[in-house]
């Protein structure tokens, strides 16, 4: 017998259960497919309004899961809005044609912002070497680097955006996984900010050299 | 910078949102090359820094410093 809390409120979480006031019942977050709008983790998937690629192709499923193939760049439009203050984005590179950096820019109504990126990066490699780099007032910011020499296609970036839709600087702490020319795994811990204080609704992903394939997911943090 | 070429609708049948192809302009290609060069330069600087650190560690070890002492000097 589970000892549920008395007088729960809509969305209240208890272990693997969440209270749904519309049916005055607890729902199991792992097995109840009728969980609907309730979200125990506070993260909700965002479906982009549209996608623009410079080459290759892309597709988006009903959950907003973007799969892209052989792109030089990928622009996600209408992902940031007044619905959420903060967002999580996960970029996974599953194939790349050349050793490349994966870079990002904020987008407002289809137009990229090309100034004001500050990125402080600490790099740690699995060969036990470390380095720190900073890029101030750059035209873009680096999220991860993917090599083809070895550990090919080992690339991902996980970003948190705070205030992208507000007319104030966007804070973008992120981590990136990649590999260096020696084939060792690199973990980048980075703290980026974008200081051009405009409201942004999209994000541009650039493959600096060649093309890449992979996936992107965006989630909003329930306020 | 706004895209100036006409978008081509390449939305696949399984996509729930429109997907457009806008080939890069010559200006964007040049911008991309500059970014790639910038990234390569930064990466080379990172690797040079790593190499310099390893050389310094080796020199300190050759002077008789223990592994712990070298680590304390070069964090």
């Amino acid at each position: 017998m589970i000892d549920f809390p008395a007088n729960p409120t809509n969305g209240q979480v208890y272990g693997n259960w969440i209270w749904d006031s519309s049916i005055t019942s607890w729902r199991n977050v792992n097995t109840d497919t009728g969980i609907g709008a309730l979200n125990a983790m506070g993260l909700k998937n965002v479906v982009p309004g549209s996608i623009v690629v410079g080459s290759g192709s892309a597709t988006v499923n009903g959950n907003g899961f973007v799969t892209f193939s052989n792109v030089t760049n990928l622009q996600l439009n209408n992902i940031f809005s007044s619905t959420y203050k903060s967002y999580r984005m996960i970029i996974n590179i599953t194939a790349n044609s050349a050793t490349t950096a994966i870079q990002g820019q904020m987008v407002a109504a289809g137009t990229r912002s090309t100034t004001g990126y500050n990125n402080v990066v600490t790099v740690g490699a699995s060969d036990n070497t470390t380095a720190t780099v900073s890029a101030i007032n750059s035209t873009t910011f680096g999220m991860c680097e993917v090599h083809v020499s070895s550990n090919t296609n080992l690339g991902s970036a996980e970003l948190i955006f705070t205030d992208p839709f507000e007319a104030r600087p966007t804070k973008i702490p992120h981590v990136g996984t990649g590999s260096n020319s020696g084939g060792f795994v690199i973990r980048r811990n980075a703290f980026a900010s974008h200081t051009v204080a405009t409201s942004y609704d999209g994000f541009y992903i650039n493959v600096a050299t060649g093309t890449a394939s992979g996936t992107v997911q965006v989630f909003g943090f329930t306020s | 910078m706004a895209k100036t070429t006409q978008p081509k609708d390449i939305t696949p049948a399984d996509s729930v949102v429109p997907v457009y192809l806008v080939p890069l302009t010559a200006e964007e290609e040049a911008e991309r090359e500059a970014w790639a060069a910038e990234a390569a330069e930064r990466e080379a600087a990172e690797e040079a820094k790593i190499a310099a650190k390893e050389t310094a560690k080796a020199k300190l070890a050759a002077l008789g410093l223990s592994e712990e002492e070298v680590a304390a000097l070069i964090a």
Side-chain angles (χ1 to χ4, degrees):
Chain A
M1 183 74 177
I2 302 172
D3 186 17
F4 289 111
N7 306 314
T9 56
N10 191 43
Q12 183 174 333
V13 174
Y14 181 74
N16 289 330
W17 300 82
I18 186 167
W19 178 257
D20 187 343
S21 60
S22 69
I23 57 168
T24 59
S25 178
W26 292 93
R27 288 183 182 276
N28 187 306
V29 298
N30 295 321
T31 60
D32 192 337
T33 55
I35 203 160
L38 295 169
N39 188 326
M41 299 305 290
L43 282 171
K44 291 185 178 170
N45 50 310
V46 173
V47 181
S50 65
I51 300 287
V52 178
V53 296
S55 69
S57 60
T59 188
V60 185
N61 74 12
N63 293 324
F65 189 79
V66 182
T67 303
F68 57 90
S69 181
N70 302 318
V71 302
T72 51
N73 57 282
L74 178 88
Q75 185 167 303
L76 308 170
N77 290 325
N78 304 111
I79 50 171
F80 305 131
S81 70
S82 58
T83 305
Y84 307 112
K85 297 281 286 178
S86 298
Y87 298 81
R88 181 181 181 88
M89 180 182 293
I90 301 171
I91 302 168
N92 186 24
I93 305 299
T94 56
N96 54 292
S97 68
T99 295
T100 184
I102 307 295
Q103 301 158 320
Q105 285 180 326
M106 302 301 291
V107 171
T111 301
R112 292 183 285 123
S113 178
T114 57
T115 58
Y117 297 94
N118 305 297
N119 202 16
V120 180
V121 185
T122 302
V123 180
S126 59
D127 53 352
N128 203 26
T129 55
T130 59
T132 302
V133 293
S134 300
I136 305 299
N137 282 326
S138 183
T139 57
T140 183
F141 73 97
M143 298 184 288
C144 66
E145 276 155 21
V146 198
H147 274 260
V148 291
S149 52
S150 64
N151 274 330
T152 299
N153 310 327
L154 177 70
S156 70
E158 301 163 34
L159 308 95
I160 302 288
F161 296 78
T162 296
D163 283 344
F165 198 70
E166 305 293 325
R168 63 173 75 106
T170 304
K171 285 71 74 177
I172 320 169
H174 58 284
V175 292
T177 303
S179 56
N180 63 16
S181 56
F184 295 99
V185 177
I186 283 185
R187 187 74 171 171
R188 297 160 57 98
N189 298 300
F191 303 88
S193 65
H194 179 237
T195 56
V196 183
T198 300
S199 174
Y200 297 95
D201 59 2
F203 191 65
Y204 182 90
I205 299 166
N206 182 56
V207 181
T209 306
T211 61
S213 303
T215 60
V216 190
Q217 291 171 274
V218 183
F219 303 92
F221 286 90
T222 304
S223 299
Chain B
M1 188 184 306
K3 296 275 187 186
T4 52
T5 47
Q6 194 65 28
K8 180 183 175 189
D9 191 337
I10 58 165
T11 308
D14 63 351
S15 182
V16 300
V17 305
V19 179
Y20 300 103
L21 173 68
V22 182
L24 297 175
T25 62
E27 192 181 48
E28 286 172 326
E29 289 281 12
E31 181 187 50
R32 207 161 162 266
E33 279 171 26
W35 289 355
E38 194 181 301
E41 198 174 296
R42 197 163 50 239
E43 192 188 331
E46 283 175 31
E47 295 205 356
K49 201 180 284 185
I50 290 168
K53 191 179 270 190
E54 291 307 300
T55 305
K57 279 182 184 174
K59 284 180 178 173
L60 288 169
L63 289 173
L65 273 70
S66 69
E67 205 171 297
E68 290 75 21
E69 288 168 331
V70 171
L73 281 172
I74 304 176

